[in-house]
Amino acid sequence: MYDFAYHKPSTVADAVKLLADPDAKAISGGHTLLPALKHRLNKPTALVDLSGIAELRGIRREGNAVVIGALAKHAEVAASAEVAAAIPALAFMADHIGDVQVRNRGTIGGSVSNNDPAADYPAAVLGLGATIRTSKREIAADDFFLGMFTTALEPDEILTAISFPIPEKAGYAKMRNPASRYVMAGAFVSKGPQGVRVAITGAGPCVFRQADMEAALAANWSADAVAGIKQAPDDLNSDIHGSAEYRAHLVTVMAKRAVANAG
Amino acid sequence: MNVVTPFEGIGASVRRKEDFRFLQGKGNYTDDLNRPGQTHAWILRSPHAHAKIRGVDIAAAKAMPGVHGIFTGADTEAAGLGGLPCGWQIHSKDGTPMAEPPHPVLAFERVRHVGDPVAIVVAETRSQARDAAEAIIVDYEPLPAAPSLEQAQAAGATPIHEGVAGNICYDWHIGDKAVVDAAFAAAHRTVALDLVNNRLVPNAMEPRAAVGEFDRFTGDYTLYTTSQNPHVIRLLMAANVLKLPESKVRVVAPDVGGGFGSKIYHYAEEALVTWASAQVGRPVKWTADRTEAFMSDAHGRDHISRAEFAFDKDGRILALRVATQANMGAYLSTFAPCVPTYLYATLLAGVYTTPVIYAEVKAVFTNTVPVDAYRGAGRPEATYLLERLMDVAARELGIDRVELRRRNFIPADAFPYQTPVALQYDSGDYQSTLNECLRVADWAGFEARRAEAAARGKLRGIGISTYLEACGIAPSAVVGSLGARAGLYEVGTIRVHPTGSITVLTGSHSHGQGHETTFAQLVSDKLGVPVAQVDIVHGDTAKVPFGMGTYGSRSLAVGGSAMMKAMDKIIAKGKRIAAHLMEASVEDIEFDRGTFRVAGTDRTKALVDISVAAYVPHNYPIEELEPGLEETAFYDPKNFTYPGGCHIAEVEIDRETGKVDLVNFTAVDDVGRVINPMIVEGQVQGGVAQGVGQALLESCIYDADGQLVSGSMMDYTMPRADDLPPVGVATHTTLCTHNPLGVKGCGEVGAIGSPPAVINAVVDALRDFDVRHIEMPATAAKIWQIINGSHGKAAA
C-alpha cells in the first residue's frame, strides 16, 4: 500500500471534518478497503477510522423499527436478540455473510456505504424498505443505491445507522459465487409496513427491486406465486462463474426459496 | 535392554513431531529469515501476454528513495547469466530433439506471458522497491497472443520463440501405431471420448520467497528459498545460470509451507536475488504475494485429448489409442517435458490388461505461465482419461461399469506384469482394493440412497475409479535413457552420537509430509531408539551430503531406503565393535532393535555402549576399524513403485441451481507398507481435496488475449473445508518387491484417483438427462446448462 495519514476521531462531527478532504477515505471493518490498498488500487491521502465513534454503535428497538448503528459487525447483528426477535431473516442473512473472519470485522455501515453489487446487506436494506440515517439527513432505501459501488452518500457524509421497519414476514436466500463466496444471486423478500418487497442482489450491477415478483406476491404470498416469474437476463452480470441467463434463472429460484424461508 | 514403549516403530500412528512448532506459529519459513543488512526486491512483471520490449527506461526509478539497484534483461545478458535450464529432453517421433528455446531470468527483448519478469528492483524496503518499479517505463510493442492450444497451433499464429515452427516443442509418441490401428480395424466395438484436463494453479499456502546473500570475504553465495529440493536448485543455478562452482553456493530450504510440485523447479527469482546480492553488496529478500504466485508459479495439467478403446465381443480391451495436446506455457519449466510423456503415456495401461497401446503427444508453446508437474503430474491426466473412457464404454457396451473393470483387471497372480508402455509393475491386487472399496462405500445400497435423495429434489450419483500410478521415481539409468539430465537416487546419512541419540541427514525435503516423524520411526524401529532421540535434518546443502529432493511420492520409497541402507552399515560396523567388546567373533553377533547379542548367549551390548566405544576408543579395534559411528548411503531404486486402488465418490445435485455437493468419498489405496497410518490418512485426504478441487471447482482461465482471468482467490475456486465430506481412507497392502521397506508412496494417490470418481458420479447423477461427458470442473452453472438444455427429455 501507499503511505497515508491515519486519523481516529471520536465523534461523527470530527470525522465529517476530516472527510472534507476529497482524497480521504472512511474505514470501519476494512474488509473491502484494505485489500484494495494492499493491491495499490486506491491511494487515499488519509484513512479516517470510524471505529472509535461511540454514537455509531448499538442495536436497539425504536417503536416499530430496529435501528442498527453503522459500526455493528455482521456477527453482532447475527447474534442480536433484538434482531432475532423482530426480523429473524436479517439475523439469518448477517449470519451467512462471507466467513467467520469477515463477520467479525465487517460492519453494516461499511457494507451498505460500499454498495458492492455482490454484497448481502443491500438486499436486506432495499428488501425491507429501510431508512438510512446519515450525518446530514435520512435517505429512503429506494433512493440510496444508485449503481455499482455508488450511493446517494455525499463525499463528506457518513452513514450513521439504518432503521429497519419490522415486517410481518421476511426471508432471504442466496447462491454463493464458488470462488469469492460473495453473492451470485440473492433475494430478500418481505411483507409489512413498506408493502411487499423483493430485492435482488448479486445478479446485476446494483441491487434492484423485482416488480413482477412483488406484484405476484402482493396478490398471493407463496413460493409458487414467484416460481413461474422469469427475470430478464438483460443487464445482468455475466462472468466465468455464470452467464446472465444463469443468474436470471437463479433470481427466480432464490426468490422462491426466500419466500419459503419467510414462511 | 533398550525397550521402546510405547511402540513408535513401523505401523504406529506417532503424532507428528513437527506439528508442535507449526501449530504454535514457530515454523521457520524463508520469509521469517532476516539477514543483517538485508534489502528487499520487487520484480516488475509483464502486463502483456506477448510483446516486444522496445526499451526500458529506469532513469527516474533509479533516483527514487532507497533504491540500491535496478537490473533488466539487458543487464543480466551483459553479465553473462545463463537461462533457466530444462532438466529433461524429449525426442520427437522423427528423432529430432525437442525445441528448447532460451528462458532468460529477465525477459530480453520480448515478453511471452503475463507475469514474465522484466526487471528486479532492489531497495531498502519492499515498499520503496515497489514504488521504484512503478516508475520504470517499459516501451512495449504488443504482439498477437496465443494462450490456448488452438490459438498457438492456428495457421499464421505468431511464433512465440524464434525458430520454433508452429510453436511445437515436440511431437512424441510411444507404441506401435500400425499394430494398434490394426486392432481397432478388427475390433468388435470401439468407444471414443474427447476430453480436457483443466489447467490448475497449485496455490501452496506459503507463496514462494528467496533471500540471496553474498559473502564478500569468502566469495560464497547463500540462497534461502522455498524449495522441495535444495541440492537440485544449487546444481541448476550454480552450473547453468550463475556459472559458479557448486562449492561456492549454499542453498537452504528451511520450513516450506507446501509445494505440490510447484516448488521443485528452479525459478528466475532465486538466481536474481542471489546474483543481485553481490551487485548491491547486501542480502536481498524477495517474497511473492498471492497475485504473483498466480502469474509466476508453474501451473499444472492443461491437456486436450482424444481417447479410444477397442473391445472384443466379451468387453475385453483389445487396444487403446490416445492423441494428446499438452500446453507447455511460454517456456520449458525444469521438468515440464517429461510430464505429458513418461509420467503420462507410460501409465495408460492403468490397472488393465490392454495388450497394445499407441499414444502421441504434441507439446505446444503458448503465451501462458509455464506448466510443469503438479501433485500427480501426468498420472492424474492418464487416470482421468482411462476412467472416464471406461465409464463411457460401460454405458455404450451395456456392461455394468464395475464388471467391465473387473473383466479387464490385471490379475493378482500376474505380477511382475509387463505393460505395453514400458513399465513393469511389481505388485498389486486390484480386485481386493475394489471389493473393499465397494463394501466400505456401500455400493450395493446406492439405489436406495438415490431414491431417498430424489424425494428431497436432489439428483444423486455414484462414481468409481480404479487406478494405478508410478512413483518413487526412479532408476537413474532408466530415466537417463528416457531423457532425464539427472540421476534420481537419494542420499541418507545416519549419525549416531556418542551418547546414542541420532541425527539423520536426508536429501528428501519435508514441506508438509511429516518426514521428521516418519523417518524417525524408521530409525526407531530398526535401531531401537525413541523417536524423541532421532532428529531429521534436511533442506541445507551445507549439512546434507547430497539429495535429489521430494516429489513423485519418492521420499519414503527412495529416501527412506537410503536411510535403511545407511543403518545397515551402522549395524555392520556396530557388530564389529560389539564383537571386540564381548570378545566374540563378528559372525556370532546378532542385532535386534538396539541390542547386540552374542548368538545363543545372554551377553549383550546396547547401541549406546557401541557408540560410546566408537567415540571414546579406549578399548577398541583401532588397528582395523576407524573410530566414530556415522554412515552414508546412496540408494538408486531398481524400479518405480506402483501404488493403486479404488476411489468411490457420491454426489448430490441441486436440480434447480446445478450445484454439486460431494456427500461421500471412500478411498481404498494400496500404498505398500504403511509406516504411520495417521500420516497416510492425512496425505490421502489432502490429495483427495486437490482432486475434488480439480473435478468440481478449480480452473485456470486465460482470455483470448492471454490475460489471466482467474488471477486471484476471488475468481479461482480453491476447495474449502465445507466443500468436502469426511473422506474415508483405508489401505489394502501388497508390498513393493524391490525396496527394503516394501513401501510404494502415498503423497499423490488422492489427487490421481479422485477426479474421475467424482466426474463419473456427476454423470451418473444426471443419468436421466442426455449427458455423455462433462468437462472439469463440474460447476453449478455448467450443470444447470445441461439440465436446462435437456429439459423435457428428462424423466423428471
Side-chain angles (χ1 to χ4, degrees):
Chain A
M1 54 182 74
Y2 297 106
D3 288 346
F4 51 82
Y6 174 79
H7 305 290
K8 193 173 181 183
S10 54
T11 66
V12 170
D14 286 348
V16 167
K17 270 183 220 154
L18 291 162
L19 287 167
D21 171 0
D23 294 323
K25 288 239 172 234
I27 186 165
S28 56
H31 264 49
T32 300
L33 185 54
L34 280 177
L37 295 179
K38 285 182 179 174
H39 281 103
R40 297 191 159 194
L41 298 172
N42 214 314
K43 197 175 181 178
T45 50
L47 287 190
V48 180
D49 184 350
L50 305 180
S51 67
I53 304 178
E55 60 199 286
L56 297 180
R57 296 193 177 279
I59 299 174
R60 58 198 173 270
R61 180 81 177 252
E62 287 185 10
N64 261 345
V66 174
V67 177
I68 302 178
L71 284 178
K73 296 182 170 77
H74 310 328
E76 291 170 345
V77 174
S80 160
E82 291 287 0
V83 176
I87 319 175
L90 183 59
F92 170 85
M93 190 221 73
D95 200 30
H96 288 80
I97 298 174
D99 53 28
V100 173
Q101 291 84 347
V102 168
R103 292 194 290 274
N104 281 318
R105 286 292 305 170
T107 63
I108 189 170
S111 173
V112 173
S113 302
N114 189 47
N115 192 21
D116 188 314
D120 295 86
Y121 260 125
V125 171
L126 190 61
L128 287 164
T131 299
I132 283 98
R133 297 181 185 174
T134 79
S135 50
K136 291 185 177 171
R137 55 184 167 149
E138 293 197 343
I139 308 171
D142 288 329
D143 302 326
F144 185 80
F145 301 105
L146 301 184
M148 191 186 286
F149 295 106
T150 311
T151 68
L153 287 173
E154 289 163 8
D156 62 344
E157 185 175 22
I158 295 172
L159 188 157
T160 55
I162 301 175
S163 172
F164 292 94
I166 297 169
E168 287 168 44
K169 288 171 183 285
Y172 182 60
K174 67 171 169 180
M175 175 85 175
R176 292 167 182 267
N177 174 312
S180 69
R181 298 281 177 103
Y182 274 81
V183 184
M184 191 121 103
F188 200 105
V189 301
S190 78
K191 178 182 172 182
Q194 297 292 312
V196 170
R197 287 177 162 256
V198 177
I200 306 299
T201 189
C206 180
V207 65
F208 64 92
R209 289 176 67 180
Q210 223 294 354
D212 293 346
M213 291 182 183
E214 290 182 351
L217 287 174
N220 170 20
W221 180 269
S222 73
D224 287 345
V226 290
I229 298 179
K230 288 198 178 353
Q231 163 71 39
D234 320 312
D235 304 327
L236 295 194
N237 301 332
S238 189
D239 58 26
I240 58 171
H241 303 290
S243 62
E245 289 72 23
Y246 180 54
R247 283 184 165 84
H249 165 78
L250 288 178
V251 166
T252 302
V253 175
M254 294 306 138
K256 199 172 75 173
R257 291 182 181 182
V259 175
N261 290 345
Chain B
M1 263 194 48
N2 194 351
V3 178
V4 177
T5 49
F7 178 64
E8 298 177 314
I10 291 173
S13 283
V14 176
R15 285 195 184 185
R16 297 188 359 148
K17 292 173 76 175
E18 47 270 76
D19 284 351
F20 291 100
R21 71 174 189 279
F22 292 149
L23 295 176
Q24 293 178 76
K26 292 175 179 168
N28 189 30
Y29 297 90
T30 300
D31 190 56
D32 294 326
L33 300 168
N34 291 299
R35 306 300 303 160
Q38 176 177 287
T39 62
H40 296 265
W42 185 266
I43 307 285
L44 180 68
R45 297 179 185 279
S46 170
H48 297 282
H50 200 188
K52 273 187 190 157
I53 300 176
R54 284 194 292 228
V56 184
D57 180 357
I58 62 169
K62 235 179 162 165
M64 304 258 306
V67 173
H68 292 292
I70 299 177
F71 308 99
T72 66
D75 297 316
T76 49
E77 285 287 314
L81 296 194
L84 298 173
C86 181
W88 204 295
Q89 186 180 46
I90 296 294
H91 285 78
S92 287
K93 290 171 184 170
D94 62 6
T96 56
M98 67 183 188
E100 201 173 348
H103 185 179
V105 289
L106 288 173
F108 183 60
E109 295 177 347
R110 193 144 27 143
V111 289
R112 295 181 173 86
H113 67 86
V114 169
D116 210 355
V118 172
I120 177 172
V121 180
V122 180
E124 203 61 32
T125 70
R126 190 164 188 256
S127 196
Q128 286 172 332
R130 192 173 182 180
D131 288 343
E134 288 178 3
I136 295 174
I137 299 158
V138 185
D139 183 8
Y140 291 109
E141 178 187 328
L143 296 167
S148 71
L149 286 161
E150 192 186 354
Q151 287 167 295
Q153 295 176 86
T158 304
I160 294 167
H161 295 280
E162 272 176 35
V164 180
N167 291 318
I168 301 297
C169 175
Y170 56 75
D171 183 5
W172 172 91
H173 68 164
I174 190 168
D176 188 329
K177 184 172 192 304
V179 168
V180 170
D181 287 347
F184 269 85
H188 173 69
R189 284 284 296 272
T190 66
V191 178
L193 181 66
D194 293 314
L195 71 182
V196 174
N197 207 284
N198 44 327
R199 186 184 186 105
L200 303 175
V201 181
N203 269 315
M205 192 182 290
E206 179 203 24
R208 289 189 296 116
V211 183
E213 182 169 12
F214 175 67
D215 184 328
R216 66 193 169 93
F217 299 107
T218 62
D220 291 349
Y221 291 82
T222 302
L223 167 68
Y224 303 89
T225 184
T226 50
S227 176
Q228 301 177 212
N229 32 233
H231 286 89
V232 175
I233 301 306
R234 184 181 65 168
L235 176 67
L236 296 174
M237 181 175 77
N240 296 83
V241 185
L242 303 183
K243 297 171 183 168
L244 293 165
E246 276 167 274
S247 54
K248 301 306 283 181
V249 180
R250 174 185 175 200
V251 176
V252 182
D255 284 330
V256 173
F260 313 110
S262 71
K263 292 172 182 167
I264 297 171
Y265 324 115
H266 179 32
Y267 287 96
E269 297 87 355
E270 294 172 320
L272 287 170
V273 297
T274 307
W275 176 73
S277 71
Q279 309 309 304
V280 302
R282 303 261 298 268
V284 179
K285 175 190 273 189
W286 168 80
T287 302
D289 62 20
R290 186 60 63 183
T291 305
E292 282 184 286
F294 269 96
M295 62 171 84
S296 71
D297 293 1
H299 292 174
R301 319 279 193 259
D302 207 345
H303 286 192
I304 295 176
S305 296
R306 181 170 183 80
E308 303 162 272
F309 267 147
F311 287 96
D312 72 8
K313 61 179 174 29
D314 299 320
R316 289 206 166 72
I317 302 165
L318 297 172
L320 171 68
R321 192 161 55 194
V322 174
T324 292
Q325 299 168 43
N327 191 333
M328 294 280 101
Y331 305 98
L332 290 178
S333 175
T334 311
F335 290 110
C338 76
V339 177
T341 49
Y342 293 108
L343 294 180
Y344 166 71
T346 52
L347 274 297
L348 287 170
V351 291
Y352 308 117
T353 54
T354 312
V356 289
I357 295 173
Y358 178 73
E360 51 191 338
V361 179
K362 205 181 270 184
V364 181
F365 290 110
T366 63
N367 292 114
T368 63
V369 172
V371 177
D372 207 326
Y374 165 64
R375 202 169 193 170
R379 293 150 287 164
E381 294 92 315
T383 303
Y384 182 66
L385 177 146
L386 285 176
E387 293 304 293
R388 279 297 301 135
L389 185 60
M390 205 51 150
D391 258 33
V392 170
R395 207 155 88 165
E396 295 184 358
L397 267 51
I399 300 174
D400 174 78
R401 51 195 158 147
V402 173
E403 169 55 26
L404 185 64
R405 286 175 167 86
R406 281 192 198 283
R407 220 176 268 185
N408 286 285
F409 274 165
I410 298 162
D413 60 5
F415 295 92
Y417 179 83
Q418 179 63 51
T419 75
V421 274
L423 301 178
Q424 190 186 71
Y425 304 161
D426 63 334
S427 65
D429 181 356
Y430 312 127
Q431 296 281 3
S432 292
T433 46
L434 170 69
N435 290 338
E436 181 64 4
C437 202
L438 292 172
R439 186 187 68 75
V440 176
D442 187 23
W443 182 272
F446 171 72
E447 289 306 324
R449 295 194 293 281
R450 180 172 161 92
E452 183 277 328
R456 289 184 280 112
K458 302 275 184 163
L459 302 162
R460 191 163 175 128
I462 194 165
I464 191 166
S465 145
T466 52
Y467 76 94
L468 166 139
E469 61 136 331
C471 60
I473 185 168
S476 294
V478 172
V479 296
S481 73
L482 302 179
R485 291 164 168 163
L488 285 168
Y489 46 82
E490 198 45 270
V491 185
T493 295
I494 304 291
R495 180 178 294 159
V496 183
H497 297 285
T499 56
S501 65
I502 292 174
T503 298
V504 179
L505 310 176
T506 173
S508 299
H509 186 276
S510 187
H511 35 277
Q513 294 86 347
H515 292 172
E516 292 173 33
T517 306
T518 306
F519 289 168
Q521 286 180 256
L522 296 185
V523 176
S524 175
D525 194 87
K526 191 156 174 115
L527 299 184
V529 178
V531 160
Q533 288 186 31
V534 182
D535 272 299
I536 307 299
V537 172
H538 63 93
D540 187 342
T541 61
K543 294 179 180 169
V544 178
F546 201 73
M548 293 310 296
T550 291
Y551 39 83
S553 308
R554 70 193 299 273
S555 293
L556 195 54
V558 191
S561 295
M563 284 172 220
M564 297 299 281
K565 263 185 83 175
M567 284 191 280
D568 285 339
K569 293 186 187 179
I570 292 282
I571 292 166
K573 183 170 182 180
K575 281 181 176 176
R576 294 177 69 182
I577 301 169
H580 174 88
L581 294 177
M582 295 189 280
E583 296 175 345
S585 135
V586 175
E587 292 73 37
D588 291 339
I589 305 294
E590 294 170 343
F591 178 78
D592 182 44
R593 289 202 179 149
T595 303
F596 295 87
R597 175 187 302 273
V598 181
T601 75
D602 59 358
R603 282 191 293 155
T604 63
K605 289 282 177 191
L607 179 63
V608 65
D609 302 324
I610 304 304
S611 59
V612 167
Y615 287 98
V616 189
H618 297 164
N619 175 18
Y620 194 82
I622 201 81
E623 302 284 316
E624 55 197 66
L625 208 56
E626 292 171 14
L629 199 54
E630 171 170 331
E631 297 289 349
T632 293
F634 282 55
Y635 176 81
D636 201 292
K638 296 186 187 72
N639 191 353
F640 292 84
T641 61
Y642 299 97
C646 180
H647 289 186
I648 293 176
E650 214 163 315
V651 300
E652 281 188 5
I653 297 175
D654 179 333
R655 57 182 308 152
E656 285 189 322
T657 64
K659 184 169 189 303
V660 180
D661 284 326
L662 183 65
V663 292
N664 275 326
F665 196 96
T666 309
V668 177
D669 301 299
D670 177 1
V671 299
R673 190 187 306 284
V674 173
I675 308 301
N676 184 318
M678 179 194 70
I679 288 179
V680 168
E681 187 177 359
Q683 284 285 313
V684 173
Q685 287 176 340
V688 167
Q690 283 174 305
V692 171
Q694 171 163 31
L696 296 179
L697 304 166
E698 297 181 50
S699 192
C700 177
I701 297 172
Y702 282 92
D703 70 12
D705 298 323
Q707 290 296 322
L708 182 55
V709 179
S710 56
S712 81
M713 296 294 186
M714 290 293 281
D715 283 307
Y716 186 87
T717 313
M718 288 296 285
R720 291 167 164 86
D722 66 358
D723 291 315
L724 297 158
V727 175
V729 177
T731 52
H732 179 93
T733 301
T734 65
L735 296 178
C736 170
T737 61
H738 57 77
N739 65 42
L741 286 161
V743 296
K744 298 185 178 182
C746 68
E748 295 164 294
V749 293
I752 291 168
S754 60
V758 173
I759 294 296
N760 287 343
V762 172
V763 174
D764 182 54
L766 298 171
R767 64 170 91 142
D768 295 336
F769 299 81
D770 190 17
V771 188
R772 187 167 186 262
H773 177 61
I774 293 170
E775 300 289 8
M776 300 187 288
T779 60
K782 210 180 271 179
I783 302 292
W784 173 75
Q785 239 169 4
I786 288 164
I787 293 174
N788 195 47
S790 57
H791 207 258
K793 289 181 209 166

